[in-house]
């Protein structure tokens, strides 16, 4: 057998450079490159291998370990999980900085390959710098923290172990039902150890993401569950977009007159102005979608994991006789809410279910004009919110209306946390698929700028806009520097509302007077953080990093800033001063959060009573 003598790290790089993914007969290079920050745990091993590599992998220098993994995940998400970046860090804090982003990827079913350095397998110099020592179990390292947030985890303590481990890693990374973060912990000494690897191991390898067909019996059972129902509702999740099944979904809905609501991950699967498109559903849903959901007698979930926001903590679907049909590539998600499970790719599953329903001559039983009337009412509400003016400043919904009117139909907006996801889910109008990139599985503050960088890497031909609040921006904005370094254009839309206003609104809605969530100076009178707002110049901060920056206080200034940003060649930040508390809320939805049963505040006790009442209308599981 022909062999090649390489270090473990060199073999890893060589292998990754020759992996391809085939979907519908089209092959794409699966690993585009590696994002990394070097330290003593990886610089002389994986760092040397990347420096001397002769292949096509691209190296991007991250500025924060969490940020670069967010960027890699956003890249994979925008690529419909068909191409990835790997991410490498040193041991200790460098590795653990990636753990939050690993969880973000896993929760959202997005493939990322993490290659953190690890303790010396040989243990001669122990304890080394940044090594975690657990006295009762010396095999534990910082990288063990990745086990609960990874879909596959391994520690390579001998160079020959790499071969079997990489095959398993690729299995998970390329499987739409199992994918998420994959972590291979790499002891720093083992990275540099040589082994005679079989040359065949580095041959071009094609992995096949075959579309999973629906079992005929499953499609039949699903059709039978739908056939007797007159008020069906489709809930479109991210699986529709990852399967590139937006057109299939639209044709399915049109064939049977079924309205479509969208999750955060599924938004943009239907054009907002389609007659059957109701918009977002659940806690952050539209009035139209939530009213239809309340009276639906069957809910057809396509590619959704039915999170608490989608189901309004299981209170959105209120009919006692409501049934669920769950079409999902993952059996884990397909069995939720005791639904009829159809484990299949969204495209093939919709085709099978359509054939079964057509054979039965099925059609929904909505009254003529019912859906159109609800849509018209909601469209008027969005128009009102987009035009909402106040003399004391710019409202958040007015700012969104200005931006929505400016961006092109193919532009991509990225967001993750704060009050903006709720507003965008309700009022943002999309006409093309994959133009709404929301990380709302983990709702990870700090994803926004990094995610926009990853999305822009994935689709450089589109304009990419990051919606971010001042709180999220302060948490993590480092990959703005990476975007500048790489010459990647993105526009950061920073809506400054003086703090964590989403949670400020939440706590006040449950009896609090407001505590610890606004960016205020400490008052010398009260001793609390309820003094004047802190004046932070975010535009100046962005300029100090090398980005172009503008500030807008009015709708007119915002339009001017957007036009100027469009002409810039590199990254831009627009600081938008908005009035706190001018986000959307309500629309006949609910979210279950724990409220104290006893409190010194009568308002808190009353809020607990309202929570208990709401629970009586929610499904118990």
């Amino acid at each position: 057998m022909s062999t090649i003598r390489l270090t473990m790290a060199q073999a890893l790089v060589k292998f990754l450079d020759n992996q391809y993914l085939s979907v519908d007969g089209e092959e794409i290079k699966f690993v585009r490159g590696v994002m990394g920050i070097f330290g003593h745990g990886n610089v002389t091993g994986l760092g040397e291998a990347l420096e001397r590599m002769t292949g096509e992998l691209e190296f991007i220098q991250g500025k924060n370990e969490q940020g670069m993994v967010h960027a890699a995940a956003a890249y994979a998400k925008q690529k419909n999980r068909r191409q990835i970046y790997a991410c490498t860090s040193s041991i200790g804090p460098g590795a653990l900085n990636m753990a939050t982003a690993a969880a973000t990827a896993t929760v959202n079913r997005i493939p990322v390959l993490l290659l953190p350095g690890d303790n010396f397998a040989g243990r001669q110099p122990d304890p080394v710098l940044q090594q975690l020592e657990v006295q009762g179990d010396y095999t534990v390292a910082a990288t063990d923290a990745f086990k609960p947030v990874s879909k596959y985890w391994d520690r390579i303590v001998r160079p020959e172990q790499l071969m079997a481990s990489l095959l398993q890693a690729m299995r998970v990374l390329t499987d739409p039902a199992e994918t998420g973060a994959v972590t291979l912990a790499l002891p720093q000494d083992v990275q540099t150890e040589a082994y005679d690897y079989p040359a065949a191991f580095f041959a071009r390898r094609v992995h096949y993401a075959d579309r999973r067909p629906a079992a005929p019996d499953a499609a039949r059972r699903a059709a039978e569950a739908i056939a007797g129902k007159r008020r069906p509702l489709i809930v479109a999740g991210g699986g529709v977009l990852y399967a590139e099944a937006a057109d299939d979904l639209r044709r399915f809905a049109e064939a049977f007159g079924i309205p479509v609501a969208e999750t955060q991950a599924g938004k943009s699967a239907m054009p907002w102005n389609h007659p059957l498109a109701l918009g977002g559903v659940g806690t952050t849903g539209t009035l139209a979608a939530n009213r239809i959901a309340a009276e639906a007698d069957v809910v057809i979930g396509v590619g959704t994991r039915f999170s608490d926001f989608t189901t309004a903590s299981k209170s959105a679907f209120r009919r006692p006789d409501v049934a669920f049909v769950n079409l999902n590539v993952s059996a884990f998600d397909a069995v939720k809410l005791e639904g009829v499970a159809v484990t299949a790719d969204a495209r093939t599953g919709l085709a099978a279910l359509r054939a079964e329903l057509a054979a039965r001559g099925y059609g929904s039983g909505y009254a003529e004009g019912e859906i159109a009337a609800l849509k018209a009412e909601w469209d008027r509400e969005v128009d009102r919110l987009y035009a909402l003016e106040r003399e004391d400043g710019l409202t958040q919904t007015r700012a969104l209306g200005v931006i929505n009117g400016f961006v092109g139909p193919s532009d991509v907006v990225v967001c993750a946390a704060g009050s903006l996801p709720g507003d965008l889910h309700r009022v943002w109008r999309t006409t093309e698929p994959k133009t709404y990139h929301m990380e709302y599985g983990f709702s990870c503050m700090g994803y926004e700028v990094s995610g926009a960088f990853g999305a822009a890497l994935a689709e450089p031909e589109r304009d990419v806009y990051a919606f971010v609040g001042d709180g999220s921006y302060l948490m993590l904005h480092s990959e703005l520097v990476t975007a500048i370094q790489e010459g990647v254009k993105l526009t950061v839309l920073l809506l400054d509302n003086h703090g964590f206003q989403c949670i400020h609104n939440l706590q006040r809605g449950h009896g609090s007077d407001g505590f610890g969530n606004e960016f205020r100076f400490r008052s010398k009178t009260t001793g609390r953080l309820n003094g004047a707002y802190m004046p932070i110049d975010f535009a100046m901060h962005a300029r100090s990093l090398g980005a172009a920056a503008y500030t807008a206080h009015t709708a007119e200034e915002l339009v001017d800033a957007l036009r100027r940003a469009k002409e810039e060649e590199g990254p831009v930040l627009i600081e938008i001063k908005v009035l706190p508390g001018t986000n959307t809320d309500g629309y006949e939805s609910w979210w279950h959060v724990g409220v104290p049963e006893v409190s010194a505040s009568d308002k808190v006790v009353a809020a607990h009573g309202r929570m208990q009442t709401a629970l009586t209308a929610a499904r118990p599981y």
Side-chain angles (χ1 to χ4, degrees):
M1 179 184 295
S2 176
T3 61
I4 304 175
R5 189 162 183 80
L6 298 169
T7 68
M8 184 268 276
Q10 293 163 358
L12 171 60
V13 169
K14 191 174 183 65
F15 176 88
L16 293 180
D17 195 35
N18 285 288
Q19 305 307 301
Y20 292 80
L21 182 66
S22 176
V23 181
D24 297 334
E26 179 184 357
E27 291 184 9
I28 184 172
K29 186 177 179 66
F30 186 62
V31 184
R32 178 173 171 181
V34 179
M35 298 185 185
I37 297 177
F38 293 125
H40 68 279
N42 64 343
V43 69
T44 57
L46 198 54
E48 188 277 340
L50 290 166
E51 180 184 6
R52 307 297 179 188
M53 67 180 177
T54 58
E56 299 176 358
L57 295 180
E58 174 184 58
F59 176 74
I60 292 179
Q61 179 195 78
K63 305 301 175 292
N64 175 282
E65 290 89 356
Q66 182 184 152
M68 72 184 183
V69 180
H70 285 326
Y75 179 90
K77 178 181 174 74
Q78 201 64 30
K79 286 287 189 180
N80 289 331
R81 307 189 290 199
R82 297 179 184 182
Q83 192 173 47
I84 69 168
Y85 276 88
C87 294
T88 182
S89 74
S90 187
I91 75 170
L96 287 176
N97 280 349
M98 297 198 295
T100 297
T104 303
T106 294
V107 167
N108 285 283
R109 290 33 170 187
I110 302 297
V112 292
L113 174 60
L114 306 180
L115 306 170
D118 207 336
N119 301 345
F120 271 74
R123 300 186 181 179
Q124 179 276 322
D126 288 4
V128 299
L129 180 68
Q130 300 179 341
Q131 179 172 337
L132 178 70
E133 291 185 284
V134 177
Q135 296 180 17
D137 185 349
Y138 207 70
T139 65
V140 173
T143 50
D144 284 270
F146 286 86
K147 289 180 178 178
V149 297
S150 299
K151 294 295 296 237
Y152 179 79
W153 184 96
D154 199 357
R155 178 178 284 126
I156 311 302
V157 297
R158 292 178 59 89
E160 63 267 34
Q161 289 179 346
L162 180 70
M163 293 180 287
S165 185
L166 279 175
L167 295 179
Q168 292 298 325
M170 291 301 299
R171 172 187 62 81
V172 174
L173 289 167
T174 59
D175 184 345
E178 291 294 324
T179 197
V182 167
T183 301
L184 302 184
L186 309 177
Q188 51 191 303
D189 52 343
V190 181
Q191 289 180 47
T192 64
E193 293 175 6
Y195 180 78
D196 294 321
Y197 289 94
F201 183 67
F202 305 109
R204 176 189 174 101
R205 181 177 274 103
V206 180
H207 306 267
Y208 296 91
D210 296 324
R211 293 188 181 274
R212 300 182 183 186
D217 283 350
R220 175 185 52 76
R221 289 191 297 268
E224 289 174 353
I226 297 168
K229 304 293 187 176
R230 307 303 295 159
R231 298 184 63 84
L233 172 67
I234 295 170
V235 175
V240 174
L241 296 172
Y242 300 142
E244 296 181 346
D247 287 342
D248 305 85
L249 175 72
R250 175 182 51 78
R251 288 192 291 266
F252 181 91
E254 291 171 348
F256 308 111
I258 305 176
V260 178
E262 297 170 321
T263 71
Q264 286 279 18
K267 188 173 171 74
S268 77
M270 289 280 282
W272 75 272
N273 52 2
H274 189 282
L276 293 171
L278 301 178
V281 67
T283 303
T284 54
T286 72
L287 189 61
N290 285 341
R291 284 184 173 172
I292 290 292
E295 296 297 326
D297 55 8
V298 62
V299 179
I300 306 167
V302 184
T304 175
R305 64 192 189 97
F306 282 117
S307 74
D308 65 336
F309 265 69
T310 298
T311 67
S313 298
K314 298 186 176 69
S315 71
F317 313 110
R318 300 173 188 170
R319 286 180 59 135
D321 63 341
V322 63
F324 293 86
V325 170
N326 303 332
L327 195 169
N328 203 295
V329 72
S330 167
F332 179 85
D333 291 321
V335 301
K336 290 177 178 176
L337 298 172
E338 290 192 311
V340 177
V342 182
T343 306
D345 169 86
R347 182 180 291 180
T348 58
L350 284 169
L353 187 53
R354 182 178 177 180
E356 289 284 347
L357 290 174
R360 290 166 170 77
Y362 180 74
S364 69
Y366 287 98
E368 184 176 354
E370 179 182 359
I371 296 171
L374 284 170
K375 277 185 59 65
E377 180 183 3
W378 180 249
D379 289 345
R380 289 192 297 270
E381 173 65 359
V382 174
D383 290 341
R384 182 189 71 82
L385 293 167
Y386 273 6
L388 189 61
E389 297 275 8
R390 278 183 33 177
E391 292 183 359
D392 54 340
L394 183 63
T395 67
Q396 183 159 296
T397 59
R398 177 76 173 110
L400 295 182
V402 170
I403 298 165
N404 206 172
F406 178 86
V407 301
S410 298
D411 295 345
V412 178
V413 298
V414 178
C415 191
S419 61
L420 284 166
D423 285 355
L424 292 169
H425 197 206
R426 289 189 179 102
V427 307
W428 191 257
R429 290 167 167 169
T430 64
T431 56
E432 296 182 13
K434 299 296 292 184
T435 55
Y436 184 87
H437 181 126
M438 181 68 68
E439 187 287 289
Y440 212 60
F442 219 44
S443 187
C444 187
M445 297 181 74
Y447 177 93
E448 298 90 344
V449 174
S450 303
F453 172 57
L457 277 177
E459 298 198 273
E461 68 281 1
R462 298 191 192 222
D463 286 340
V464 176
Y465 294 85
F467 278 104
V468 61
D470 50 321
S472 282
Y473 180 82
L474 287 172
M475 283 196 178
L476 185 58
H477 51 258
S478 56
E479 302 322 299
L480 182 59
V481 176
T482 309
I484 295 168
Q485 181 181 36
E486 295 290 338
V488 173
K489 174 67 181 291
L490 59 91
T491 302
V492 178
L493 302 169
L494 191 158
L495 280 76
D496 179 11
N497 60 11
H498 302 294
F500 308 126
Q501 294 293 349
C502 174
I503 300 303
H504 188 222
N505 293 336
L506 179 67
Q507 70 179 170
R508 287 186 299 167
H510 291 80
S512 171
D513 296 319
F515 177 76
N517 278 307
E518 294 191 292
F519 295 162
R520 293 178 178 271
F521 290 106
R522 187 171 299 279
S523 170
K524 294 181 179 179
T525 303
T526 67
R528 291 194 171 194
L529 298 174
N530 58 1
Y533 284 127
M534 299 179 67
I536 303 173
D537 191 333
F538 293 100
M540 181 181 292
H541 176 266
R543 291 190 197 101
S544 75
L545 299 178
Y550 304 93
T551 301
H553 297 84
T554 67
E556 293 74 21
E557 290 178 355
L558 179 53
V559 170
D560 182 65
L562 288 165
R563 288 172 177 163
R564 290 174 180 267
K566 184 84 170 176
E567 300 303 317
E568 296 282 356
E569 293 185 0
V572 186
L573 181 141
I574 302 176
E575 180 183 15
I576 308 166
K577 300 294 188 180
V578 296
L579 293 169
T582 56
N583 55 289
T584 64
D585 194 22
Y587 299 108
E588 300 182 9
S589 68
W590 178 65
W591 188 35
H592 186 188
V593 294
V595 183
E597 187 173 354
V598 296
S599 172
S601 168
D602 291 340
K603 293 188 297 182
V604 172
V605 174
H608 176 81
R610 292 193 297 272
M611 178 197 73
Q612 291 297 113
T613 300
L615 271 173
T616 63
R619 295 168 61 92
Y621 64 95

